[in-house]
């Protein structure tokens, strides 16, 4: 009996030393799904907009939270590497705009095609590439998704075609063709309040003959259904704030997409604070591992410099190199 009591005592003692958060998460009952209200969208050339309610499941909520935290940690790690001069040259920071790429991906199919302008790292991730591949592409070694030759703007994935370097330069022409031919295109205007150094208050927006709705981030399913029904193109405006502008602190305190999702999930009993903190810790560790991969991977050898290149302005790459594509 004494040995049995001693064994029970050790078990209870061990249980009491476990982290409190893990015990609470294991014993707590969470809601399977919650219905949220969505504010009405501003519409143009549309008879009706998306529903004013949406259902978020616990499974989807945790998945979206993890993906947004992964994007944030990836971007913050890339920013650190850029300041250390490990990532060189000009690149585009997309932290704060996680819901643009995530909201788009949640409403389309893997077989759909995506092309974007600046701030493409998040789209590259949601289209299926890993964080190590993306960071390695930024640092330059051959372990990157484009063998280190694309950099920030020329990342590609299946059915994703990277950046278009001209900000809005081709948009009006695309609007005209898509509207005239009733093409199943969704044009997403990410309004982060600034176009390069130009405030949106001093700029004009066009697209008068394409149906349009203005949303916070997550009405993509309505837009895709509209396009697939044969009604043609649709313009979808996202309202997100751009890191780096003068009101960044106010925006982060009131409109941070990760903070908003976290608050909604916790307040609706879809998840606990402790559970989400565990995700944060794991994501931070994964971003550190990805940075180690990106900085330790060898650069492409000199003889591969001309591979997959068909023309170099002012030079003849065929003299020393031969394409293997």
């Amino acid at each position: 009996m004494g040995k049995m009591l001693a064994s029970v005592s050790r078990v209870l003692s061990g249980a009491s030393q476990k982290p409190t958060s893990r015990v609470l998460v294991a014993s707590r009952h969470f809601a399977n799904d919650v219905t949220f209200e969505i504010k009405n969208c501003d519409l143009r050339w549309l008879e009706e907009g998306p529903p004013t309610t949406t259902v978020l499941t616990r499974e989807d909520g945790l998945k979206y939270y993890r993906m947004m935290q992964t994007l944030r940690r990836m971007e913050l790690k890339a920013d650190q590497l850029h300041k250390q001069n490990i990532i060189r040259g000009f690149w585009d920071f997309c932290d704060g705009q996680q819901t643009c790429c995530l909201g788009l991906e949640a409403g389309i199919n893997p077989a759909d095609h995506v092309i974007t302008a600046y701030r493409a790292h998040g789209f590259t991730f949601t289209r299926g590439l890993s964080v190590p591949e993306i960071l390695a592409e930024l640092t330059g070694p051959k372990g990157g998704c484009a063998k280190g030759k694309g950099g920030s703007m020329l990342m590609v994935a299946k059915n994703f075609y990277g950046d278009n370097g001209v900000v809005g330069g081709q948009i009006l022409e695309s609007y005209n063709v898509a509207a005239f031919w009733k093409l199943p295109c969704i044009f997403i205007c990410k309004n982060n309040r600034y176009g390069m150094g130009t405030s949106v208050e001093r700029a004009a927006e066009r697209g008068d003959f394409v149906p349009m709705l203005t949303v916070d981030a997550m009405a993509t399913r309505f837009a895709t259904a509209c396009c697939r029904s044969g009604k043609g193109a649709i313009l979808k405006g996202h309202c997100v704030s751009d890191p780096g502008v003068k009101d960044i602190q106010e925006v982060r305190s009131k409109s941070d997409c990760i903070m908003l999702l976290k608050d909604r999930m916790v307040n609706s009993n879809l998840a606990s604070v402790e559970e989400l903190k565990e995700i944060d810790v794991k994501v931070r560790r994964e971003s550190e591992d990805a940075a180690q991969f990106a900085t330790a991977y060898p650069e492409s050898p000199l003889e591969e410099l001309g591979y997959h290149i068909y023309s170099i302005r002012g030079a003849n790459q065929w003299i020393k190199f031969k394409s293997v594509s």
Side-chain angles (χ1 to χ4, degrees):
M1 179 64 71
K3 291 182 178 180
M4 183 180 294
L5 290 175
S7 299
V8 172
S9 176
R10 284 195 297 270
V11 170
L12 293 177
S13 176
S16 65
Q17 294 175 4
K18 291 182 179 180
T20 305
S21 60
R22 293 182 181 272
V23 175
L24 290 174
V25 170
S27 62
R28 182 171 173 178
H29 177 72
F30 294 104
N32 292 324
D33 56 69
V34 175
T35 299
F36 292 108
E37 293 185 355
I38 303 175
K39 66 180 182 181
N40 291 329
C41 300
D42 296 331
L43 305 178
R44 184 171 66 195
W45 296 95
L46 287 170
E47 294 181 359
E48 61 178 355
T52 56
T53 61
T54 187
V55 176
L56 178 67
T57 66
R58 169 174 159 81
E59 180 182 3
D60 283 345
L62 291 174
K63 179 178 71 174
Y64 297 153
Y65 182 83
R66 181 182 177 85
M67 291 181 71
M68 286 198 293
Q69 277 290 20
T70 299
L71 286 174
R72 171 154 298 174
R73 299 313 310 181
M74 179 183 73
E75 286 292 85
L76 293 178
K77 177 54 66 175
D79 183 50
Q80 179 185 11
L81 295 174
H82 189 264
K83 291 174 179 176
Q84 295 172 349
N85 209 29
I86 297 175
I87 295 176
R88 302 188 181 188
F90 188 80
W91 70 296
D92 303 295
F93 202 60
C94 74
D95 184 30
Q97 299 186 180
Q98 289 89 344
T99 48
C100 290
C101 47
L102 185 60
L104 169 65
E105 194 64 34
I108 63 176
N109 300 325
D112 293 325
H113 302 270
V114 177
I115 187 170
T116 184
Y118 287 99
R119 310 186 191 283
H121 306 159
F123 293 98
T124 310
F125 174 74
T126 57
R127 288 268 84 186
L129 289 185
S130 68
V131 175
E133 288 177 296
I134 297 171
L135 288 182
E137 186 60 34
L138 292 172
T139 56
K142 61 186 299 183
C145 56
K147 306 300 182 183
K149 298 176 182 178
S152 176
M153 293 190 58
L154 298 178
M155 296 183 182
V156 292
K158 186 175 181 180
N159 297 328
F160 174 68
Y161 308 102
D163 280 10
N164 185 302
V166 181
V167 183
Q170 76 291 354
I171 289 296
L172 291 183
E173 292 87 346
S174 301
Y175 283 171
N176 284 337
V177 173
F180 186 73
W181 288 347
K182 293 189 179 299
L183 299 179
C185 297
I186 302 174
F187 295 93
I188 298 180
C189 176
K190 298 180 292 183
N191 179 14
N192 58 18
R193 299 185 184 180
Y194 279 80
M196 298 298 283
T198 304
S199 168
V200 70
E201 298 175 354
R202 298 188 287 112
E205 180 182 340
R206 296 296 302 275
D208 300 338
F209 301 103
V210 178
M212 176 178 174
L213 65 155
T214 303
V215 299
D216 276 341
M218 295 262 189
T220 310
R221 289 193 178 96
F222 172 83
T224 53
C226 183
C227 286
R228 297 188 203 283
S229 68
K231 296 181 180 179
I234 189 168
L235 174 65
K236 184 163 162 277
H238 275 307
C239 295
V240 186
S241 296
D242 188 8
V245 298
K246 60 183 179 181
D247 55 350
I248 180 173
Q249 295 300 328
E250 179 181 358
V251 169
R252 280 182 173 173
S253 64
K254 296 180 179 180
S255 304
D256 179 69
C257 52
I258 297 179
M259 177 192 70
L260 293 176
L261 177 60
K262 179 180 179 179
D263 289 346
R264 286 199 172 192
M265 291 183 66
V266 171
N267 294 335
S268 302
N269 197 34
L270 285 176
S272 67
V273 173
E274 295 81 7
E275 186 177 20
L276 298 180
K277 283 183 178 179
E278 279 196 27
I279 293 177
D280 298 345
V281 172
K282 291 178 181 178
V283 166
R284 184 186 293 267
R285 187 185 309 120
E286 289 170 1
S287 69
E288 293 292 337
D289 293 340
Q292 289 292 328
F293 171 86
T295 54
Y297 208 94
E299 294 185 359
S300 300
L302 183 61
E303 58 268 20
E304 295 183 10
L305 192 60
Y307 286 6
H308 313 105
I309 296 176
Y310 294 96
S311 176
I312 300 178
R313 183 167 54 187
N316 184 352
Q317 79 275 20
W318 304 107
I319 295 177
K320 295 182 178 180
F321 307 120
K322 181 180 179 181
S323 175
V324 296
S325 61

